Amino acid sequence: MNDPASTRQKTRRAGSTGLGKVTLEMVAAAAGVSAATVSRILNGTAMVSDDKRTAVDEAIARLGFVPNPVARGLAGGRTLSVGVVTQAIDSPFYGGALRGIENTLTAAGYSPLFVSGQWSATHEARCIDALRSRRVDGIIVLTGRLSDAALAATARELPVVVTGRTMKAPGLCALDFDNFEGARLATHHLLSLGHRRIAFIAGDLKHPDGKERLRGYRSAIEAAGLAYEPGLVMPGNFTEASGLAAVERLIDSRHPFTAIFASNDQMAFGAGLGLHRRRLQVPQDVSLVGFDDLASAVYAIPPLTTVHHPVDELGQLAAQAMLQLLAGETPTLALPAPRLVVRESTREAGPARRR
Amino acid sequence: MNDPASTRQKTRRAGSTGLGKVTLEMVAAAAGVSAATVSRILNGTAMVSDDKRTAVDEAIARLGFVPNPVARGLAGGRTLSVGVVTQAIDSPFYGGALRGIENTLTAAGYSPLFVSGQWSATHEARCIDALRSRRVDGIIVLTGRLSDAALAATARELPVVVTGRTMKAPGLCALDFDNFEGARLATHHLLSLGHRRIAFIAGDLKHPDGKERLRGYRSAIEAAGLAYEPGLVMPGNFTEASGLAAVERLIDSRHPFTAIFASNDQMAFGAGLGLHRRRLQVPQDVSLVGFDDLASAVYAIPPLTTVHHPVDELGQLAAQAMLQLLAGETPTLALPAPRLVVRESTREAGPARRR
DNA sequence: CTGAAAGCGCTTACAG
DNA sequence: CTGAAAGCGCTTACAG
């Protein structure tokens, strides 16, 4: 009657889940055991006799007890949450990865905490600090701008999995995708269709993906006995706008070309629009290849030939790796190899344009 | 030396932010005041003499103290976090809203907790329970399938802002967009270009947006003195695939049409591909209008005429409304009116096809 | 196998 | 204006 707790708390909505009101102590009392025992059963921390266990299980079910993660976090140090540093919460590229992470993490009882790094190292550092202050159990970083050293330092404090780069450090798992090989595949596809003048739209070259894709392009070109022509390589920054601008610059430069390989699908879409504006048809006049295989690539006009990037698996694997790290295991996961998806934006070379 | 805390804690990385190690008690000791005083200064909870305040501020800065949100959440009930129930973390439509929410929330010192409702009422209910067990201070629901009653019930426990519907309840703020008017605008645009046989691709009709957009289409058609023709209305579910299928069914039905209004851009993209496959050019043969104005609409081929949905503002406003609710104020925010963005997928009507 | 007790790092009535 | 103290809901050595 005079319980101050009941005075303060508003016991409305005896919800189906009974959220929030029922505490571990109430369960302990109902089951006739100590709080410690309930805690141990909840966490599987120790052997407990069968009768107590059933009594507790029954009490939990009857009261609709849900452990309070906040208290758990304070007391135990574990919050069952893992921070996810993405670059932009609305990135069309990382979307699939976020979904994969959310699914496998929640299936394992963990909650993801998504934050956006905004492609800035300082911002990412701030994100990581914020996540740590929220006591996440681990951190997944999707690519990012942070130095390997900074990540390694963070990994000394809590498990880290990072995608989009290759590095080794204790407590850290790096998951990389073979961008070089992917770019080689794409370029080779164009070469095998008879294209000899293949323009390339680069991504951000400070970004490892951007660098590797350029390297792959160049490698394939040279392996085919062709000269690497800087005049066919246009700068870009992974946005549609930069793909559009690149094509305009390319056409205006009057360098002949019969195909374009864009470092990502978004730039390929921009390039497609650029070609359309200049009355060049894909693939009749120009073949176009992208990279990433965004969901929207299938519905591009024409459907885009591109290198499939397994972002969904990336997310799942990153989450699994985190789960393993959290369990004290050493993850040994690897991403599938790149694979070319041929759709309708490429065909055999005709005569070079703008000769 | 014998401090158990220092035995357990690993005092590595005397980080620039000194995260985690420094506690409020240490600050209090350093400043020569009580913990309560430090807490009050941190929270602006009470008047504090200037000298103590400066002493505390100085100690905080010197020690690099960062309050522990977990402890704060347990003790004070406030976690400075707000749950955000979206439908899919990788939704191209809600992406902008998520960004807006993240920005304005973090700027105000709150952290968003994103969870995916998967377009299922039960799933959403689970999400809300999970968020509440994490002690979020409020919940933002983007549309969703939950009943108004369920939301009102939640709002009795903590502040709720919901988008995509109109409702009133204590502690709840609903932010709606005028889908009806948007659909009217789009249809009217087509009518004013001389189109008389305008096909409509419906969205999910169990969804309020889907329903309202159909209503708007019908209203404009009838206001123009035309008959509403069910044969021109194709079912869809807001996905590209359903837009594609709708166009195929439409063409196969041999109902003549000169324009298509799709209930959202994604279906318009699918429709565009369907037309392309049937060798119908947009806009020469068929005019095409979408709804939402996704970022990618600008780069569609041809760039898509569509109704602008202010998703970014939606996110910002939802977050602001939450902040106001949290501050005990009553939000009086409203979304901008719909606005047609004319690009290159529409033009004056030619003769009806398939006559 | 199981309790009692201390403690996680804060906040907040309750008294000055 | 400011402290001492209790408490938020759990977990975890420490002792049986």
Side-chain angles (χ1 to χ4, degrees):
Chain A
M1 290 296 107
N2 212 3
D3 178 0
S6 69
T7 313
R8 269 211 275 148
Q9 298 200 19
K10 312 139 197 173
T11 316
R12 318 188 197 139
R13 187 175 94 152
S16 48
T17 49
L19 230 182
K21 313 309 168 199
V22 186
T23 71
L24 182 144
E25 295 219 51
M26 297 164 70
V27 172
V33 301
S34 73
T37 299
V38 178
S39 173
R40 289 186 185 110
I41 290 178
L42 247 31
N43 298 291
T45 307
M47 303 288 82
V48 174
S49 69
D50 274 1
D51 45 330
K52 303 224 178 212
R53 159 164 279 126
T54 51
V56 169
D57 284 347
E58 189 274 330
I60 288 178
R62 184 158 48 79
L63 301 179
F65 170 65
V66 177
N68 179 333
V70 178
R72 232 156 142 146
L74 225 209
R78 300 188 342 140
T79 52
L80 292 182
S81 66
V82 349
V84 180
V85 181
T86 179
Q87 295 314 318
I89 189 76
D90 61 337
S91 150
F93 176 62
Y94 285 114
L98 299 188
R99 186 157 35 74
I101 291 175
E102 186 184 28
N103 287 342
T104 104
L105 240 34
T106 52
Y110 280 83
S111 302
L113 248 57
F114 297 108
V115 296
S116 300
Q118 329 259 50
W119 295 112
S120 134
T122 34
H123 211 94
E124 279 172 40
R126 253 203 297 277
C127 285
I128 287 182
D129 282 349
L131 289 170
R132 292 194 54 219
S133 88
R134 294 224 165 245
R135 298 301 186 273
V136 295
D137 296 339
I139 295 182
I140 297 176
V141 179
L142 298 179
T143 310
R145 295 266 206 249
L146 247 24
S147 68
D148 286 7
L151 285 173
T154 305
R156 276 201 290 278
E157 314 270 353
L158 79 180
V160 170
V161 0
V162 56
T163 70
R165 58 174 101 188
T166 318
M167 63 175 283
K168 274 217 165 337
L172 180 148
C173 169
L175 237 38
D176 204 8
F177 176 68
D178 197 343
N179 287 288
F180 174 77
E181 176 61 14
R184 265 178 29 86
L185 281 177
T187 312
H188 184 261
H189 168 63
L190 256 11
L191 288 165
S192 72
L193 287 172
H195 293 278
R196 287 296 170 268
R197 305 203 51 83
I198 302 171
F200 179 77
I201 305 181
D204 181 348
L205 293 179
K206 278 175 303 194
H207 190 295
D209 291 7
K211 252 187 301 209
E212 285 299 284
R213 292 177 189 184
L214 171 55
R215 234 176 33 89
Y217 160 78
R218 178 167 191 160
S219 161
I221 290 289
E222 293 178 343
L226 300 175
Y228 171 80
E229 268 191 53
L232 284 175
V233 175
M234 299 287 137
N237 64 4
F238 288 135
T239 63
E240 287 90 348
S242 73
L244 174 57
V247 158
E248 292 183 335
R249 232 173 301 131
L250 180 62
I251 293 176
D252 291 341
S253 79
R254 314 210 132 256
H255 268 78
F257 65 94
T258 65
I260 298 178
F261 171 29
S263 289
N264 76 350
D265 287 355
Q266 286 173 263
M267 292 196 297
F269 298 148
L273 180 57
L275 294 168
H276 176 78
R277 291 222 185 292
R278 299 297 184 109
R279 304 257 169 289
L280 257 21
Q281 300 235 335
V282 175
Q284 294 84 336
D285 301 320
V286 176
S287 282
L288 180 63
V289 180
F291 200 121
D292 286 343
D293 196 16
L294 297 188
S296 49
V298 188
Y299 293 97
I301 294 180
L304 187 68
T305 293
T306 187
V307 177
H308 181 73
H309 185 129
V311 254
D312 297 43
E313 291 94 315
L314 213 214
Q316 288 173 217
L317 289 182
Q320 281 176 228
M322 176 52 69
L323 258 14
Q324 300 189 311
L325 245 22
L326 252 12
E329 302 160 20
T330 307
T332 54
L333 302 165
L335 239 37
R339 161 172 75 75
L340 187 76
V341 181
V342 178
R343 287 199 271 252
E344 301 165 34
S345 65
T346 47
R347 69 159 58 162
E348 300 206 329
R353 316 277 311 179
R354 318 263 161 201
R355 263 263 149 86
Chain B
M1 287 297 107
N2 212 3
D3 177 2
S6 69
T7 313
R8 270 211 275 149
Q9 297 201 20
K10 309 140 197 171
T11 316
R12 318 188 194 138
R13 187 174 96 152
S16 48
T17 49
L19 229 181
K21 313 309 169 198
V22 185
T23 71
L24 181 146
E25 296 218 51
M26 296 164 72
V27 172
V33 302
S34 74
T37 298
V38 178
S39 173
R40 289 187 186 108
I41 290 178
L42 247 31
N43 298 290
T45 307
M47 304 286 84
V48 173
S49 69
D50 273 2
D51 46 330
K52 303 224 178 211
R53 159 165 277 125
T54 51
V56 169
D57 284 346
E58 189 274 331
I60 289 178
R62 184 158 48 78
L63 301 179
F65 170 64
V66 177
N68 179 334
V70 178
R72 229 155 147 150
L74 226 210
R78 300 188 343 140
T79 51
L80 292 182
S81 66
V82 349
V84 180
V85 181
T86 179
Q87 295 312 317
I89 189 78
D90 60 337
S91 152
F93 175 62
Y94 285 114
L98 299 188
R99 186 158 34 74
I101 290 175
E102 187 183 28
N103 288 341
T104 105
L105 240 34
T106 51
Y110 280 83
S111 302
L113 248 56
F114 297 109
V115 296
S116 300
Q118 329 260 49
W119 295 111
S120 135
T122 35
H123 212 94
E124 278 170 40
R126 253 202 296 279
C127 285
I128 287 182
D129 283 349
L131 289 171
R132 293 194 53 219
S133 88
R134 294 224 165 244
R135 299 299 186 274
V136 294
D137 296 338
I139 296 184
I140 297 175
V141 179
L142 298 179
T143 310
R145 294 267 206 250
L146 247 24
S147 68
D148 286 7
L151 286 173
T154 305
R156 277 201 290 278
E157 314 272 353
L158 78 180
V160 170
V161 1
V162 56
T163 70
R165 58 174 101 189
T166 318
M167 62 175 283
K168 274 218 162 339
L172 180 148
C173 169
L175 237 38
D176 204 7
F177 176 68
D178 197 342
N179 286 287
F180 173 77
E181 176 61 13
R184 265 177 28 84
L185 281 177
T187 312
H188 184 262
H189 167 64
L190 257 10
L191 288 164
S192 72
L193 288 172
H195 294 278
R196 285 299 170 265
R197 306 202 52 83
I198 302 171
F200 179 76
I201 306 181
D204 181 348
L205 293 179
K206 279 176 304 196
H207 189 294
D209 291 6
K211 252 187 302 209
E212 287 298 285
R213 293 177 189 184
L214 171 55
R215 236 177 29 91
Y217 160 78
R218 177 166 192 162
S219 161
I221 290 289
E222 294 178 341
L226 300 173
Y228 171 80
E229 267 192 55
L232 285 175
V233 176
M234 299 286 136
N237 64 4
F238 287 135
T239 63
E240 288 89 347
S242 73
L244 174 58
V247 158
E248 293 182 334
R249 233 174 298 132
L250 180 63
I251 293 176
D252 292 341
S253 79
R254 313 212 131 256
H255 268 78
F257 66 94
T258 64
I260 298 177
F261 170 30
S263 289
N264 76 349
D265 287 354
Q266 285 173 262
M267 292 197 296
F269 297 148
L273 180 58
L275 294 169
H276 176 78
R277 291 223 183 291
R278 298 298 184 108
R279 304 256 170 290
L280 256 22
Q281 300 235 334
V282 175
Q284 294 85 337
D285 301 318
V286 177
S287 282
L288 180 62
V289 179
F291 199 122
D292 285 345
D293 196 16
L294 298 188
S296 49
V298 189
Y299 293 97
I301 294 179
L304 186 68
T305 293
T306 188
V307 178
H308 181 74
H309 186 129
V311 255
D312 296 43
E313 291 94 316
L314 214 214
Q316 287 171 218
L317 289 182
Q320 279 175 229
M322 176 53 69
L323 258 15
Q324 299 189 309
L325 245 22
L326 253 12
E329 302 161 20
T330 307
T332 54
L333 303 165
L335 240 35
R339 161 172 75 75
L340 187 75
V341 182
V342 178
R343 288 199 270 252
E344 302 165 34
S345 65
T346 47
R347 69 159 60 162
E348 300 209 329
R353 316 279 310 180
R354 318 265 161 202
R355 260 263 149 88

